[in-house]
Each structure stands twice: as structure tokens, then as C-alpha cells.
Amino acid sequence: MLDACADILDEDGYDGLTTTRIAQRADVAIGSVYQFFPDKRAVAQALALRNLEVFGERISARLAEGGFGDWSDTVGAIIEIFVEMHRTVPGFRVLRFGDVADVNLLDSDADNNAVVAGRIRQMIVESFGVQDTQRLATALAIAVEAGDAVLKMAFRRDPAGDPMIVAEAERLIHGYLASHIEEP
Amino acid sequence: MLDACADILDEDGYDGLTTTRIAQRADVAIGSVYQFFPDKRAVAQALALRNLEVFGERISARLAEGGFGDWSDTVGAIIEIFVEMHRTVPGFRVLRFGDVADVNLLDSDADNNAVVAGRIRQMIVESFGVQDTQRLATALAIAVEAGDAVLKMAFRRDPAGDPMIVAEAERLIHGYLASHIEEP
DNA sequence: TTAATATCCGAAAGTAATTCGCATTTCCGG
DNA sequence: CCGGAAATGCGAATTACTTTCGGATATTAA
């Protein structure tokens, strides 16, 4: 069902997503959809959650490979993974981590991007042993929010992601984080 | 009707907006709503457009006052106006320039933020006589997209706008534009 | 004053989400 | 194997809206 949902999103966007279509595409009765999910929103939620898992796994794998000179390389790698997911993961370009459906889809107490920022922070702290300060948390939350918005724009304008805008997003994020991390 | 729409948005968010409620609140029959607007989306569109007008007028007025040392002060003033509108214009905190309803609400050919960025660019070019280059247009589009996202976050978390996040949004925008405008 | 025109109105139709009781399958203990 | 719980599958019916449309009412012009 999640795959059916992703396919429909790619074809007709979030507005084209109906519970009936999900059922048809997945070859199950509409009642069966509601067997697994309390409502339509929950289907999107599950897909967004799956996207988050994939994102986390890919970052972990990349961090394990190592070879990063400094935090800046790491941030670059994370952006690259995020961009690549837009291009290859079905439905990701439309749904991403759920913000099209609801900013609080992943967690009712936190914005989707806050959840994503939290995951990234955790992984960076574990891998690099940097201080896990409030300052770092805030900076990452802002960087994720801003970077996400600009990358979203890049993929709205061009299904493969407008390269110039993607490059600007990287510049923006690197610049902002640099001014935060280097200063005392 | 637009005022009714704005009030409902403030009270119950975009999900709480129904055509019946708009009609009740505005003290007209549901049929009359459809006399003026082809559909529900068009009501939001009209309100978003009105917000854009107000934004433009306030910026014009502020620019006419003058007293800006450089472009940086101007950008600061525009951000201030945008923030102030979140706090004082009914429905603005929820609808803003329409992105909650549809990223292409203002103009079917351009993202809402692209329209906003275009207006700002026009006013800056007219007031300061700077070169109206593609480079400026792109930088402004990115800055608006990113700044908008971070400010949206500030007002999601706190109806009056989390001051720390608002400050970071300014820092982000100023930093990004500085690195663009100063370099050749 | 009348007739043409514009505006208003809300019951009814259309559309998509969600429910719920019956049908079918699966799983076990005898 | 068989009978009968229990789980799962099903889709017509219900619900919650948005939108239409034809008659009722008001306004304007001759």
C-alpha cells in the first residue's frame, strides 16, 4: 500500500491522492486500507516515516565510510543524500518527510523538520564527539528548515532539481553553519 | 467575506475553513459566496492577494520614509514589516501569501514566494537604482524562500514569533545576501 | 408601473473519506 | 480431517463536506 501511495504521489501529486485510488492501485478493498491505517493521513505518515528511516540509514552508511575532513564535508554529504532521495525514492519528491500533508506528520509534538534535525544532530554528535549544545541544536534546526525550503523550490521548478538552486542551497547552509560553528 | 475567512483562519487554522462557515460568519447564504468566488480556493487566493497588497504598500511607505544607510537596512525593514504582519493582520499568520493552501495560489505560473521576491526586487531596483540582474533576482528568490521558511517556523512555535528564531532568520538572510552582493 | 436585469438564496447533487456488519480465510484442538 | 473461533477481507452505506442551479427577491431603466 505504501508503494501504491508513493506511485500515486509521483503521478498526480498530493491532491491526486485518494483512499480509493490507493486501494485500487494496491489491489485491495478500501476496507482493507482502513484495516491497517486509521485514516488517509496515517498512510502518508507511514510513508513519511519510511522515508525518514531510509534517510537515516543512508546517512549512517555514509558516515561509516568516513573520509570526512571536517563537519563541512559531512554536511555536504547529507545534502547530497537528501537531493539524491528526491530523484530516486518514489513519492519522495512530493511527500518528503510529510510537510505537504501536515508539518506535524512525523511527531505530533514537533515539526517534521525538527525531527529530521534531531536525527542529524544525534548522528553528528555520535560520530564526531562534538559538544551537544543547545546552540548546535538551534543552528541545525534553522539550517534544516532553510535548506529544506530552498531544495524544495529547486525540485518544484525542475523534477531533477535545478542545479543552480541546489548549489545555492548548499552555499546558504554552509555559510550559515560556518558563521555559527566557528564563532565562540 | 474575506474578513470572515481571515477570522476563521485565526480561530481554527486552514483545516477549520469550510465554505459554510465562511458564509455563516459573513452573514450571507452559501450561494452568495459562489457568486463572488468560483470555489473555496479562490477565497483564500483573494485573501492572499490582499495580504500581498498590504505588504507592498507597507514596504512602499517605509521606503518613502527613507533613512536607509545601505541595502542591509532595507532588507531589515522588509523583514520587520513581514514579521509585524504575522502579528497584526488577521489570518496572516495562517495563510500568509497562500502557501498553506497552494504554493501557486498567487500566480499559476510562479510560486507564491517567487511573486513576493519579484515585487521586492522591483521596489528595490526602483528605489535604489541598482542593476536589475539575473544574479540579484536569483539571490532574492533564495533569500525569500529561506527567510520565509525560518520565519514560518518562528511563528508556528510561538504565536508572537519566537524572538530567537526571528533573530536567526535575519542573520541568515543578511549573511546570505552579503556574500552575494559584495562579491563580483 | 412594468419589465428587464442583477443579486440572493438554500435545497439538492456531487465527491471523497470513513464506518460497519457480513463474507471469507486461517488457525487450532479434538 | 472436522468444527468453530479468530482474524482478515470486503464494499455498500454513511458522513462531511463542496459545489450547482432554478426559483425568490431586489434593483434599475424606460
Side-chain angles (χ1 to χ4, degrees):
Chain A
M1 284 184 211
L2 292 186
D3 291 337
C5 178
D7 288 348
I8 295 167
L9 288 175
D10 275 336
E11 282 168 29
D12 286 343
Y14 192 76
D15 287 342
L17 187 74
T18 69
T19 52
T20 313
R21 263 187 96 182
I22 295 173
Q24 284 176 334
R25 178 66 63 107
D27 251 309
V28 297
I30 180 61
S32 302
V33 173
Y34 284 88
Q35 194 92 25
F36 293 96
F37 303 103
D39 53 29
K40 173 177 158 174
R41 175 199 148 95
V43 183
Q45 185 175 47
L47 187 56
L49 227 35
R50 189 171 79 169
N51 288 342
L52 182 62
E53 296 309 312
V54 171
F55 186 54
E57 281 161 18
R58 292 199 184 178
I59 294 177
S60 286
R62 186 69 194 78
L63 285 178
E65 280 179 31
F68 298 113
D70 57 4
W71 64 267
S72 177
D73 293 345
T74 312
V75 168
I78 291 174
I79 296 174
E80 201 176 285
I81 289 169
F82 186 59
V83 166
E84 190 58 20
M85 283 183 70
H86 276 84
R87 296 186 181 131
T88 57
V89 176
F92 191 78
R93 207 169 70 74
V94 171
L95 185 65
R96 296 136 50 85
F97 299 122
D99 49 312
V100 185
D102 180 349
V103 271
N104 294 110
L105 197 64
L106 293 175
D107 178 341
S108 57
D109 291 334
D111 295 347
N112 300 330
N113 278 336
V115 175
V116 173
R119 290 276 181 111
I120 292 177
R121 178 167 55 91
Q122 203 178 317
M123 285 189 282
I124 286 185
V125 167
E126 281 173 12
S127 292
F128 290 87
V130 297
Q131 279 291 313
D132 187 6
T133 60
Q134 177 59 45
R135 187 183 174 75
L136 174 69
T138 305
L140 269 178
I142 306 263
V144 167
E145 195 76 36
D148 176 68
V150 176
L151 289 171
K152 180 159 42 183
M153 173 168 69
F155 282 88
R156 258 200 315 264
R157 181 180 297 215
D158 173 353
D162 183 324
M164 133 105 80
I165 299 183
V166 171
E168 287 302 304
E170 294 193 37
R171 200 136 103 83
L172 174 76
I173 296 171
H174 277 116
Y176 175 74
L177 288 180
S179 80
H180 253 275
I181 291 180
E182 257 115 57
E183 283 167 33
Chain B
M1 284 183 212
L2 293 185
D3 291 338
C5 179
D7 288 348
I8 294 167
L9 288 175
D10 275 338
E11 283 168 28
D12 286 343
Y14 192 75
D15 288 341
L17 189 74
T18 70
T19 52
T20 313
R21 263 186 96 181
I22 295 173
Q24 285 177 332
R25 178 67 63 107
D27 252 310
V28 297
I30 179 63
S32 303
V33 173
Y34 283 87
Q35 194 90 25
F36 293 96
F37 304 103
D39 53 27
K40 173 177 158 177
R41 176 198 147 95
V43 183
Q45 183 175 47
L47 186 57
L49 226 36
R50 189 171 78 170
N51 288 342
L52 182 62
E53 295 311 311
V54 171
F55 186 53
E57 282 161 17
R58 292 197 185 179
I59 294 177
S60 287
R62 187 69 193 77
L63 285 179
E65 280 179 31
F68 297 114
D70 57 5
W71 65 266
S72 176
D73 292 347
T74 312
V75 168
I78 291 174
I79 295 174
E80 201 175 285
I81 289 169
F82 186 60
V83 165
E84 190 58 20
M85 283 182 69
H86 276 84
R87 295 187 180 131
T88 57
V89 176
F92 191 78
R93 206 168 69 74
V94 171
L95 184 66
R96 295 136 50 85
F97 298 122
D99 49 312
V100 185
D102 181 349
V103 271
N104 293 110
L105 197 63
L106 293 175
D107 179 341
S108 57
D109 292 333
D111 294 348
N112 299 329
N113 279 336
V115 175
V116 172
R119 291 275 182 110
I120 291 176
R121 178 167 57 93
Q122 202 177 317
M123 286 189 281
I124 285 184
V125 167
E126 281 171 12
S127 293
F128 290 87
V130 297
Q131 279 292 312
D132 188 7
T133 60
Q134 176 59 46
R135 187 183 172 74
L136 174 69
T138 304
L140 269 178
I142 305 263
V144 167
E145 195 76 35
D148 176 67
V150 177
L151 289 172
K152 180 158 43 179
M153 173 168 68
F155 281 88
R156 259 201 314 264
R157 181 180 297 216
D158 173 354
D162 183 324
M164 132 105 81
I165 299 183
V166 170
E168 287 303 302
E170 295 194 37
R171 199 137 103 83
L172 174 77
I173 297 171
H174 276 114
Y176 175 74
L177 289 179
S179 80
H180 254 274
I181 291 180
E182 258 115 58
E183 283 167 33

